Coordinates of all heavy atoms in Angstrom, one line a residue:
L1 N 5.5 -15.7 14.1 CA 4.8 -15.5 15.4 C 3.7 -16.6 15.5 O 3.1 -17.0 14.5 CB 4.1 -14.1 15.5 CG 5.1 -12.9 15.5 CD1 4.3 -11.6 15.4 CD2 5.9 -12.9 16.8
D2 N 3.4 -17.0 16.8 CA 2.2 -17.8 17.0 C 1.0 -16.9 17.2 O 0.9 -16.2 18.2 CB 2.5 -18.6 18.4 CG 1.2 -19.4 18.8 OD1 0.3 -19.5 17.9 OD2 1.2 -19.9 19.9
A3 N 0.2 -16.8 16.1 CA -0.9 -15.9 16.1 C -1.8 -16.1 17.3 O -2.3 -15.1 17.8 CB -1.7 -16.0 14.8
A4 N -2.0 -17.3 17.8 CA -2.9 -17.5 18.9 C -2.4 -16.9 20.2 O -3.2 -16.7 21.1 CB -3.1 -19.0 19.0
S5 N -1.1 -16.6 20.2 CA -0.6 -16.0 21.4 C -0.7 -14.5 21.5 O -0.5 -13.8 22.5 CB 0.9 -16.4 21.6 OG 1.7 -15.7 20.6
L6 N -1.1 -13.9 20.3 CA -1.2 -12.4 20.3 C -2.6 -12.0 20.9 O -3.6 -12.7 20.8 CB -1.2 -12.0 18.8 CG 0.1 -12.3 18.0 CD1 0.0 -12.0 16.6 CD2 1.3 -11.5 18.6
P7 N -2.6 -10.8 21.4 CA -3.9 -10.3 22.0 C -5.0 -10.3 21.0 O -4.8 -9.7 19.9 CB -3.5 -8.9 22.6 CG -2.0 -8.9 22.7 CD -1.5 -9.8 21.6
A8 N -6.2 -10.8 21.4 CA -7.3 -10.7 20.5 C -8.0 -9.4 20.7 O -8.0 -8.8 21.8 CB -8.3 -11.8 20.9
V9 N -8.4 -8.8 19.6 CA -9.1 -7.5 19.6 C -10.6 -7.7 19.7 O -11.2 -8.3 18.8 CB -8.7 -6.6 18.4 CG1 -9.4 -5.3 18.4 CG2 -7.2 -6.4 18.3
A10 N -11.2 -7.1 20.7 CA -12.6 -7.3 20.9 C -13.5 -6.4 20.0 O -13.0 -5.3 19.6 CB -13.0 -7.1 22.4
G11 N -14.7 -6.8 19.8 CA -15.6 -6.0 19.0 C -15.3 -5.9 17.6 O -14.6 -6.8 17.0
Q12 N -15.8 -4.9 16.9 CA -15.6 -4.7 15.5 C -15.1 -3.2 15.3 O -15.8 -2.3 14.8 CB -16.9 -4.9 14.8 CG -17.4 -6.3 14.8 CD -18.7 -6.5 14.0 OE1 -19.6 -5.7 14.0 NE2 -18.8 -7.6 13.3
P13 N -13.8 -3.0 15.5 CA -13.2 -1.7 15.3 C -13.2 -1.3 13.9 O -13.2 -2.2 13.0 CB -11.8 -1.8 15.9 CG -11.5 -3.3 15.7 CD -12.8 -4.0 16.0
R14 N -13.1 0.0 13.6 CA -12.9 0.5 12.2 C -11.7 -0.1 11.7 O -10.6 -0.2 12.3 CB -12.8 2.0 12.2 CG -12.4 2.6 10.9 CD -12.1 4.1 10.9 NE -11.5 4.5 9.7 CZ -10.2 4.5 9.5 NH1 -9.3 4.2 10.4 NH2 -9.7 5.0 8.3
I15 N -11.7 -0.5 10.4 CA -10.5 -1.0 9.7 C -10.0 0.1 8.8 O -10.8 0.7 8.0 CB -10.9 -2.2 8.8 CG1 -11.4 -3.4 9.7 CG2 -9.6 -2.7 8.1 CD1 -10.4 -3.9 10.8
G16 N -8.8 0.5 8.9 CA -8.2 1.5 8.1 C -7.4 0.9 6.9 O -7.5 -0.3 6.7
S17 N -6.8 1.8 6.2 CA -5.9 1.3 5.1 C -4.9 0.4 5.7 O -4.3 0.7 6.8 CB -5.2 2.5 4.4 OG -4.1 2.1 3.7
P18 N -4.6 -0.7 5.1 CA -3.5 -1.6 5.6 C -2.1 -1.1 5.5 O -1.2 -1.7 6.0 CB -3.8 -2.9 4.9 CG -4.3 -2.5 3.6 CD -5.2 -1.3 3.9
V19 N -2.0 0.0 4.8 CA -0.6 0.6 4.6 C -0.7 2.0 5.2 O -1.5 2.8 4.8 CB -0.3 0.7 3.1 CG1 1.1 1.4 2.9 CG2 -0.3 -0.7 2.5
G20 N 0.2 2.2 6.2 CA 0.4 3.6 6.8 C 1.5 4.3 6.1 O 2.5 3.8 5.7
G21 N 1.4 5.6 6.0 CA 2.4 6.5 5.6 C 3.0 6.1 4.2 O 4.2 6.1 4.0
A22 N 2.2 5.8 3.3 CA 2.7 5.4 2.0 C 3.5 6.5 1.3 O 3.0 7.6 1.1 CB 1.5 5.0 1.0
P23 N 4.8 6.2 0.9 CA 5.6 7.2 0.2 C 5.0 7.6 -1.1 O 5.0 8.8 -1.4 CB 6.9 6.4 0.0 CG 6.9 5.3 1.0 CD 5.5 4.9 1.1
K24 N 4.4 6.7 -1.9 CA 3.8 7.0 -3.1 C 2.6 6.2 -3.4 O 2.5 5.0 -2.9 CB 4.8 6.7 -4.3 CG 6.1 7.6 -4.3 CD 6.9 7.5 -5.6 CE 7.7 6.2 -5.6 NZ 8.7 6.1 -4.6
F25 N 1.6 6.8 -4.1 CA 0.4 6.1 -4.5 C 0.3 6.2 -6.0 O -0.1 7.3 -6.5 CB -0.8 6.7 -3.8 CG -2.1 5.9 -3.8 CD1 -3.2 6.5 -3.2 CD2 -2.2 4.7 -4.5 CE1 -4.4 5.8 -3.2 CE2 -3.4 4.0 -4.5 CZ -4.5 4.6 -3.9
I26 N 0.7 5.2 -6.7 CA 0.9 5.2 -8.1 C -0.2 4.4 -8.8 O -0.7 3.4 -8.2 CB 2.3 4.6 -8.5 CG1 3.4 5.2 -7.7 CG2 2.5 4.7 -10.0 CD1 4.7 4.4 -7.8
A27 N -0.7 4.8 -9.9 CA -1.8 4.1 -10.6 C -1.5 3.9 -12.1 O -0.7 4.7 -12.7 CB -3.1 5.0 -10.5
I28 N -2.0 2.8 -12.6 CA -1.8 2.4 -14.0 C -3.2 2.6 -14.6 O -4.2 2.0 -14.2 CB -1.4 1.0 -14.1 CG1 -0.1 0.7 -13.3 CG2 -1.1 0.6 -15.6 CD1 1.1 1.6 -13.7
G29 N -3.3 3.3 -15.7 CA -4.5 3.5 -16.4 C -4.8 2.6 -17.6 O -3.8 2.1 -18.3
L30 N -6.0 2.3 -17.9 CA -6.4 1.6 -19.1 C -5.6 0.3 -19.2 O -5.1 -0.1 -20.3 CB -6.2 2.4 -20.4 CG -7.0 3.7 -20.5 CD1 -6.7 4.5 -21.7 CD2 -8.5 3.4 -20.4
N31 N -5.6 -0.5 -18.1 CA -4.8 -1.7 -18.1 C -5.6 -3.0 -18.4 O -5.1 -4.1 -18.2 CB -4.0 -1.8 -16.8 CG -2.9 -2.9 -16.9 OD1 -2.3 -3.1 -18.0 ND2 -2.6 -3.5 -15.8
Y32 N -6.9 -2.8 -18.8 CA -7.7 -3.9 -19.3 C -8.2 -3.6 -20.7 O -8.8 -2.5 -20.9 CB -8.8 -4.1 -18.3 CG -8.4 -4.7 -17.0 CD1 -7.7 -4.0 -16.0 CD2 -8.7 -6.1 -16.6 CE1 -7.3 -4.5 -14.8 CE2 -8.4 -6.6 -15.4 CZ -7.6 -5.8 -14.5 OH -7.3 -6.4 -13.3
A33 N -8.0 -4.4 -21.6 CA -8.3 -4.1 -23.0 C -9.8 -3.8 -23.2 O -10.2 -2.8 -23.9 CB -8.0 -5.3 -23.9
D34 N -10.7 -4.5 -22.5 CA -12.1 -4.2 -22.6 C -12.5 -2.9 -21.9 O -13.5 -2.2 -22.4 CB -13.0 -5.4 -22.1 CG -12.4 -6.1 -20.9 OD1 -11.4 -5.5 -20.3 OD2 -12.9 -7.2 -20.5
H35 N -11.8 -2.5 -20.9 CA -12.0 -1.1 -20.3 C -11.6 0.0 -21.3 O -12.2 1.0 -21.4 CB -11.3 -1.0 -19.0 CG -11.4 0.3 -18.4 ND1 -12.6 1.0 -18.2 CD2 -10.4 1.2 -17.9 CE1 -12.4 2.2 -17.6 NE2 -11.1 2.3 -17.5
A36 N -10.4 -0.2 -21.9 CA -10.0 0.8 -22.9 C -11.0 0.9 -24.0 O -11.3 2.0 -24.5 CB -8.6 0.3 -23.5
A37 N -11.6 -0.2 -24.4 CA -12.6 -0.1 -25.5 C -13.8 0.7 -25.0 O -14.4 1.5 -25.8 CB -13.0 -1.6 -25.9
E38 N -14.3 0.4 -23.8 CA -15.5 1.2 -23.3 C -15.2 2.7 -23.2 O -16.1 3.5 -23.2 CB -16.1 0.6 -22.1 CG -15.3 0.9 -20.8 CD -16.0 0.4 -19.5 OE1 -17.2 0.0 -19.6 OE2 -15.4 0.4 -18.5
A39 N -13.9 3.0 -22.9 CA -13.5 4.4 -22.8 C -13.2 5.0 -24.2 O -12.8 6.2 -24.2 CB -12.3 4.5 -21.9
N40 N -13.4 4.2 -25.2 CA -13.1 4.7 -26.6 C -11.6 5.2 -26.7 O -11.4 6.2 -27.4 CB -14.1 5.8 -27.0 CG -15.5 5.3 -27.2 OD1 -15.7 4.2 -27.8 ND2 -16.4 6.0 -26.6
M41 N -10.7 4.4 -26.1 CA -9.3 4.8 -26.2 C -8.5 3.6 -26.7 O -8.9 2.4 -26.4 CB -8.8 5.2 -24.8 CG -9.5 6.5 -24.3 SD -8.9 7.1 -22.8 CE -7.3 7.9 -23.3
P42 N -7.4 3.8 -27.4 CA -6.6 2.7 -27.9 C -6.0 1.9 -26.8 O -5.7 2.4 -25.7 CB -5.6 3.3 -28.8 CG -5.5 4.7 -28.3 CD -6.9 5.1 -27.8
I43 N -5.7 0.6 -27.0 CA -5.0 -0.2 -26.1 C -3.5 0.4 -26.0 O -2.9 0.5 -27.0 CB -4.9 -1.7 -26.5 CG1 -6.3 -2.3 -26.4 CG2 -4.0 -2.5 -25.6 CD1 -6.4 -3.7 -27.0
P44 N -3.1 0.7 -24.8 CA -1.8 1.4 -24.7 C -0.6 0.4 -25.1 O -0.7 -0.8 -24.8 CB -1.7 1.8 -23.2 CG -2.7 0.9 -22.5 CD -3.8 0.6 -23.5
S45 N 0.4 0.9 -25.7 CA 1.6 0.1 -26.0 C 2.5 0.0 -24.9 O 3.4 -0.9 -24.9 CB 2.3 0.8 -27.2 OG 2.7 2.1 -26.9
E46 N 2.4 0.8 -23.9 CA 3.2 0.7 -22.6 C 2.3 1.3 -21.5 O 1.4 2.0 -21.8 CB 4.5 1.3 -22.7 CG 4.6 2.8 -23.0 CD 6.0 3.3 -23.1 OE1 6.6 3.6 -22.1 OE2 6.5 3.5 -24.2
P47 N 2.6 0.9 -20.2 CA 1.7 1.3 -19.2 C 1.5 2.9 -19.1 O 2.5 3.6 -19.2 CB 2.4 0.8 -17.9 CG 3.2 -0.3 -18.4 CD 3.7 0.0 -19.8

């Protein structure tokens, strides 16, 4: 698309999550070695 041809949105509207209706919201824990250390937990061998 030619972005300049799209309607400009005036003002400063609220910005929402850029993803609507997410099927799943998955998280990976202790994925930084130095964070695992501060949590007193071993570096995981798999996610």
